[in-house]
Amino acid sequence: MGCPGHTSGLFRRNLQPTLTYWSVFFSFGLCIGFLGPTVADLRCQTHSSLPQISWVFFSQQFCLLLGSALGGIFKKTLTKSLWVLFTSSLTISLVFAVIPFCQDVKVLATVIAIAGLAMGFIDTVANMQLVKIYQKDSAIFLQVLHFFVGFGALLSPLIADPFLSETDCVPTNATNYNRGSSAHFRKILTPHHSLSNLTHQELPAHPWVGNQMSYAFWIMALINLPVPISVLFLLSKESMLPCCPSKKPLLLTADELALQMELPEKEDSSSLPTKAQSETGHGNLFICCQKKSFRGAPCSFFAIHITAALVLFMTDGIMGEYSAFVYTYAVDEPLFLGHKVAGYLPSIFWGFVTLGRLISIPISSRMSPATMVFINLVGLVATFLVLLVFYYSVISLFVGTACLGLFLSSTFPSMLAYTEDVLQYKGCATTLLVTGAGIGEMTLQLFIGSIIQVLGKYSFLVCGVIFGCLAFTFYIMLLFFHRMYSRLSSDLTSGKPPGIENSEVYQQ
């Protein structure tokens, strides 16, 4: 980080673009948080089963990953970046406005996929533009950027909650199964035939959905509308609108000024591309994996990449599936919470994710990333075990949801910092970790949506324990491979110069 005066000066000169980039991530957060609490109403609206509606989550995450990869096309010039941010944020408002008219699950999945693509563009472009402005001083601004993600994800369930239907469109015979303890655990291991038959057939239309939930989506569309307007104002300020006279954009001048201030520090400036990639996490996976410098690298080098990606596959997957299905779990047995009360659970989860991201900023300056990841994973497994033991307790569910949000909040940045530090910023750690996390969110949501119908809602917590234990196991393996790699590197430094570029050293 640079000196406070230098950073504050950059912030003052780039106040409008910085606030604009933060605001577009608010749109990103709105899209992440709304599906979880509204899934039951959307099922009724589209007459679909839970496995079918799970494809809506999958389509969003898949297109988000695709949009993140394609977003690099638009980052080369400021004009392209701002226009893609304007189009993406406006698309999100249009998607919210259109959702109430989607009466078929395939149409809904397509609409949500378009929103996912817009989210991916926002994810890449906004991150890259902030790093381009602040460069090595960008860490604090990126933390605030991702705070807005949590704020948007916290707000959207709160908007939806007053409009959630208190009645259920599922026929009453769907809940006529034994609620006894022994029968409940037996159904974990055997298929729920009555429930399965119900959820794989079309559900009857629910008139309350069209009258009430529509307002929630339209409110979100209106709340998000100032975001594309703010991008339009920035385009106007930079004279990039067709109606404005052409002149040199002020934002580019600030970029050039910031770059010139950093160039004299050769050692720091040489690390900027690596830092930029580390902060944004968006590289080309295929180009990265084709680097010739990897030839002859030890097995532990690749094992660190793989195990770190698997840890984030599990933890980010847990974050996605828990926020998506905790509402569905709460309204069914054994808790049978009211729809509106259960609607607060996703908000609590994202609220504590946001709080955890704020708390982790000062903690990270006093604690190593490896220790933070270890504490997070132990807390994750312990929380799921408590939820599993006290599955009948409403208080346990609310407290456990808050704890999960805290433990998951800093896992990704801490894991990324730890892995890059181990590899000394060589290799494809950032690219592979971001890809693994995105695939985890995409696949585990689809998996949980399907497995709940086979083993019952209680399997939601059982799968959480399994995923958490797998994440912890992969992390222990990562520590083992880190020790192997460090020992090998220290042996090499005593002989020939270290570095994966010297493939002959590794072959000996």
Side-chain angles (χ1 to χ4, degrees):
M1 289 287 292
C3 64
H6 167 70
T7 304
S8 61
L10 275 177
F11 178 63
R12 285 193 299 269
R13 284 194 299 271
N14 298 280
L15 179 61
Q16 184 176 348
T18 302
L19 294 177
T20 301
Y21 297 141
W22 286 347
S23 70
V24 293
F25 256 68
F26 172 77
S27 299
F28 187 98
L30 278 179
C31 273
I32 286 181
F34 83 91
L35 276 177
T38 62
V39 64
D41 290 291
L42 290 175
R43 279 186 61 197
C44 296
Q45 176 181 310
T46 57
H47 320 158
S48 58
S49 65
L50 189 57
Q52 289 173 335
I53 205 72
S54 299
W55 283 100
V56 174
F57 293 99
F58 179 86
S59 66
Q60 183 191 57
Q61 292 298 326
F62 177 77
C63 287
L64 194 159
L65 196 61
L66 181 63
S68 297
L70 296 177
I73 300 173
F74 306 101
K75 70 185 181 184
K76 294 182 180 179
T77 67
L78 182 62
T79 304
K80 289 182 179 179
S81 297
L82 292 181
W83 275 113
V84 77
L85 289 179
F86 169 75
T87 305
S88 299
S89 55
L90 182 61
T91 298
I92 289 175
S93 281
L94 293 176
V95 165
F96 280 131
V98 169
I99 285 175
F101 302 102
C102 299
Q103 301 297 320
D104 184 84
V105 69
K106 294 178 182 177
V107 176
L108 180 63
T110 302
V111 170
I112 298 299
I114 294 172
L117 199 63
M119 292 164 65
F121 290 151
I122 288 174
D123 191 15
T124 299
V125 174
N127 273 287
M128 291 299 293
Q129 286 300 318
L130 271 182
V131 171
K132 188 179 293 185
I133 294 173
Y134 296 102
Q135 298 186 20
K136 73 173 185 177
D137 299 309
S138 61
I140 184 65
F141 299 99
L142 290 171
Q143 291 284 357
V144 178
L145 186 79
H146 290 277
F147 167 81
F148 275 88
V149 178
F151 178 64
L154 164 68
L155 187 61
S156 56
L158 292 177
I159 296 172
D161 186 73
F163 302 98
L164 294 176
S165 173
E166 282 289 1
T167 58
D168 200 342
C169 63
V170 178
T172 55
N173 60 3
T175 57
N176 289 336
Y177 40 81
N178 192 336
R179 299 179 189 175
S181 177
S182 60
H184 174 69
F185 284 98
R186 184 170 62 252
K187 287 186 288 182
I188 298 173
L189 304 176
T190 57
H192 288 207
H193 296 293
S194 61
L195 182 61
S196 178
N197 291 337
L198 167 73
T199 54
H200 285 284
Q201 67 185 15
E202 290 188 349
L203 297 178
H206 195 215
W208 188 256
V209 176
N211 293 333
Q212 296 295 322
M213 266 318 292
S214 301
Y215 297 131
F217 292 116
W218 292 334
I219 290 172
M220 289 183 217
L222 289 174
I223 289 177
N224 183 68
L225 202 56
V227 176
I229 294 175
S230 69
V231 180
L232 200 62
F233 279 138
L234 184 58
L235 281 165
S236 176
K237 178 187 175 182
E238 303 302 329
S239 303
M240 294 178 181
L241 294 176
C243 59
C244 297
S246 177
K247 65 179 181 179
K248 189 174 182 179
L250 298 177
L251 185 58
L252 289 177
T253 302
D255 282 341
E256 293 168 0
L257 177 61
L259 182 59
Q260 290 173 2
M261 295 175 68
E262 304 300 339
L263 284 178
E265 305 176 22
K266 293 183 179 179
E267 291 183 2
D268 292 340
S269 63
S270 63
S271 66
L272 290 180
T274 303
K275 182 173 180 65
Q277 185 187 25
S278 175
E279 294 290 357
T280 57
H282 295 288
N284 190 311
L285 182 62
F286 299 103
I287 294 177
C288 187
C289 294
Q290 292 173 0
K291 287 184 177 179
K292 295 181 179 179
S293 58
F294 295 163
R295 294 177 183 174
C299 294
S300 57
F301 176 80
F302 298 104
I304 289 172
H305 282 81
I306 295 171
T307 50
L310 287 173
V311 172
L312 291 184
F313 177 92
M314 292 298 170
T315 55
D316 271 50
I318 290 172
M319 181 180 288
E321 59 92 359
Y322 192 87
S323 63
F325 291 106
V326 64
Y327 170 86
T328 304
Y329 168 77
V331 297
D332 211 327
E333 70 159 347
L335 299 176
F336 293 103
L337 290 182
H339 289 249
K340 295 186 183 297
V341 175
Y344 288 112
L345 286 167
S347 293
I348 291 174
F349 178 78
W350 285 111
F352 277 85
V353 167
T354 305
L355 178 64
R357 285 172 176 168
L358 290 177
I359 295 174
S360 64
I361 296 175
I363 292 178
S364 61
S365 63
R366 294 176 173 83
M367 189 180 296
S368 67
T371 304
M372 291 183 67
V373 174
F374 181 82
I375 293 174
N376 286 338
L377 293 179
V378 171
L380 176 68
V381 175
T383 302
F384 266 119
L385 286 174
V386 171
L387 288 173
L388 196 63
V389 172
F390 299 100
Y391 67 94
Y392 50 83
S393 171
V394 175
I395 296 177
S396 174
L397 179 61
F398 275 84
V399 174
T401 298
C403 291
L404 285 176
L406 283 176
F407 289 125
L408 288 169
S409 61
S410 62
T411 302
F412 181 89
S414 300
M415 192 64 176
L416 184 61
Y418 169 59
T419 308
E420 287 284 19
D421 185 58
V422 168
L423 299 174
Q424 299 178 348
Y425 297 92
K426 301 170 183 176
C428 292
T430 299
T431 304
L432 195 61
L433 263 60
V434 170
T435 304
I439 295 175
E441 285 191 61
M442 178 175 61
T443 55
L444 291 192
Q445 286 183 9
L446 184 64
F447 175 78
I448 289 296
S450 301
I451 204 70
I452 282 177
Q453 301 311 317
V454 178
L455 300 179
K457 301 293 176 64
Y458 188 76
S459 60
F460 170 73
L461 298 179
V462 176
C463 288
V465 174
I466 295 173
F467 296 154
C469 290
L470 285 173
F472 185 77
T473 302
F474 290 136
Y475 184 65
I476 298 300
M477 293 172 62
L478 174 63
L479 296 177
F480 173 74
F481 290 127
H482 174 201
R483 186 175 181 181
M484 287 180 57
Y485 183 72
S486 299
R487 185 181 301 171
L488 179 60
S489 298
S490 62
D491 292 341
L492 291 174
T493 54
S494 62
K496 296 184 180 181
I500 61 174
E501 296 85 358
N502 192 348
S503 60
E504 295 180 358
V505 174
Y506 290 111
Q507 292 172 356
Q508 289 177 355

